Amino acid sequence: MTVAPNAQEEYQALLVQLLDPANRANPYPLYAELRDGGAFQVPEANLTVFAQYQDCDEVLRHPSSSSDTSSSTTAQRLREQDPAPRRIGPPSFLFLDPPDHTRLRKLVSKAFLPKVVNQLQPDISATVARLLHRIAEKGRFDVVEDFAYPLPVAVICRLLGVPLEDEPQFSWASAVLGQSLDPLVEVSGESSDAAEETRQAHRWLREYLHALIERRRLRPGDDLMSGLIAVEESGDQLTEEEIVSTCNLLLIAGHETTVNVIGNAILAMLREPSQWAALGASAGRAAAVVEETLRYDPPVQLVGRIAGADMTIRDTHVVQGDSMLLLVAAAHRDAREFERPDVFDPDRGAFRHLAFGRGLHFCLGAPLARLESSVALAALTARFPNARLDGEPHYKRNVTLRGLSALSVAV
């Protein structure tokens, strides 16, 4: 259902409210209003917003849905206003369509096969054990700084062959680039104040990765970057710039989202202590807790697509080139799809969430994120059965990759 024209302004105002950091701690009432109104359009921004589950699911699976943001009407208009290149280096395969997406994804996917991912479990468990030991010594911990952040960073560093001692350098760039995914220009019509910082982060991270490639050429290892270099040198069409863009994506997406999953799950369970106790008593519940967290409080709350051709999603017509904003976090609480959608219930049974996407762009890192989160949450709840919240949660400014910035817990 598309909202009536006289309601467009009201829903556009709600969407702008979603960008306000004051609503970051609990955006779900806003999502509910946006979802209940149905799809709506912002003609001056060439934007259509979907918030109901059926619509979001259909867009993600639609053959005319494109991930190439450079093909949008908005991008074309910006190029006409300012022909200077906005993008530094080629896009990652996250923002490509076939055949380029197919080629790059195939090369990278080997690193995320279940067999390869499961080989990381001993290292993940060992890292978790070290973190829990430090927490026990302190008697309290910050969910992000002391647990949810260090684990995924250590794993992605190992996977890509990034020296762990370099983590403080690229963590800044990763945080800035994660925030740059927010839909500020399309929705609010304003330029982000952080545009220059974003460009600086792009440049710095690309220079860092180029230097790391040179080190791996001289001393290859068993990491993904060394593997991608070997593929390039064997005659494949993978260029050094494509290696940099791919690793850039994995460094950001490979740990920012997993940090959010772990943090959001901890908060949800501590707000429902029976869930914390249940997981602590039965590690086998971890997978269900992770899946329910991905639905209830997803790490990626918004997803963008471009209409590669004229499309009709139920009764909403989208013109070729228009942008589509999918409010995944709203869709995940759609009562048409989920019973008691606002309740955190790992025992709700089988369901399909959209946290990892659908179709061609289904998240490559899903098996790794699930493994890291399950191991971490099972071990944490078992080690500290009496943990309790020791303060209110604080959130990053990010709208798209929404997650905690700090949360104090006493153990």
Side-chain angles (χ1 to χ4, degrees), residues 6-37:
N6 60 0
Q8 301 288 348
E9 278 190 27
E10 175 187 346
Y11 286 102
Q12 187 172 345
L14 287 171
L15 197 59
V16 172
Q17 286 183 50
L18 198 61
L19 304 176
D20 187 344
N23 293 312
R24 203 66 73 245
N26 184 18
Y28 292 101
L30 287 172
Y31 281 132
E33 290 189 69
L34 289 163
R35 179 185 60 244
D36 293 345

Side-chain angles (χ1 to χ4, degrees), residues 72-91:
S72 71
T73 301
T74 299
Q76 181 179 346
R77 184 168 59 243
L78 291 173
R79 285 195 296 270
E80 291 171 353
Q81 295 171 356
D82 180 8
R86 290 175 168 270
R87 179 178 280 153
I88 301 173

Side-chain angles (χ1 to χ4, degrees), residues 1-143:
M1 168 179 79
T2 305
V3 301
N6 60 0
Q8 301 288 348
E9 278 190 27
E10 175 187 346
Y11 286 102
Q12 187 172 345
L14 287 171
L15 197 59
V16 172
Q17 286 183 50
L18 198 61
L19 304 176
D20 187 344
N23 293 312
R24 203 66 73 245
N26 184 18
Y28 292 101
L30 287 172
Y31 281 132
E33 290 189 69
L34 289 163
R35 179 185 60 244
D36 293 345
F40 70 95
Q41 296 178 306
V42 187
E44 63 271 22
N46 298 102
L47 175 70
T48 301
V49 180
F50 294 103
Q52 295 181 2
Y53 182 94
Q54 182 179 336
D55 291 341
C56 292
D57 180 61
E58 186 174 342
V59 171
L60 289 172
R61 293 185 292 105
H62 200 288
S64 294
S65 286
S66 169
S67 294
D68 182 3
T69 55
S70 68
S71 67
S72 71
T73 301
T74 299
Q76 181 179 346
R77 184 168 59 243
L78 291 173
R79 285 195 296 270
E80 291 171 353
Q81 295 171 356
D82 180 8
R86 290 175 168 270
R87 179 178 280 153
I88 301 173
S92 70
F93 60 85
L94 183 65
F95 300 107
L96 291 174
D97 294 327
D100 292 325
H101 171 268
T102 307
R103 176 172 56 84
L104 286 173
R105 184 182 174 98
K106 182 178 179 182
L107 292 168
V108 179
S109 64
K110 296 175 183 177
F112 292 97
L113 294 172
K115 178 181 177 181
V116 177
V117 168
N118 289 335
Q119 290 174 352
L120 294 170
Q121 181 159 354
D123 282 349
I124 293 172
S125 297
T127 301
V128 169
R130 287 194 297 272
L131 295 172
L132 295 181
H133 179 71
R134 294 172 192 164
I135 290 170
E137 289 181 332
K138 295 197 303 183
R140 66 182 58 249
F141 72 107
D142 180 85
V143 165

Side-chain angles (χ1 to χ4, degrees), residues 153-168:
V153 166
V155 173
I156 204 66
C157 282
R158 181 187 184 282
L159 183 66
L160 291 177
V162 174
L164 191 55
E165 60 267 23
D166 289 348
E167 182 276 325

Side-chain angles (χ1 to χ4, degrees), residues 360-376:
L360 291 174
H361 285 274
F362 184 82
C363 178
L364 267 179
L368 180 57
R370 284 171 163 143
L371 176 63
E372 289 180 64
S373 302
S374 295
V375 171

Side-chain angles (χ1 to χ4, degrees), residues 207-261:
E207 289 172 2
Y208 173 86
L209 291 170
H210 275 294
L212 190 59
I213 286 174
E214 290 308 308
R215 286 153 63 182
R216 286 291 170 268
R217 289 191 196 279
L218 295 173
R219 300 183 64 183
D222 60 356
D223 53 86
L224 175 59
M225 182 176 281
S226 297
L228 294 178
I229 292 169
V231 167
E232 177 202 354
E233 292 179 342
S234 69
D236 200 284
Q237 297 303 304
L238 190 62
T239 67
E240 181 167 318
E241 284 294 337
E242 288 173 333
I243 295 174
V244 168
S245 291
T246 298
C247 292
N248 192 339
L249 167 66
L250 296 176
L251 281 170
I252 299 168
H255 75 271
E256 287 287 337
T257 52
T258 308
V259 172
N260 292 353
V261 175

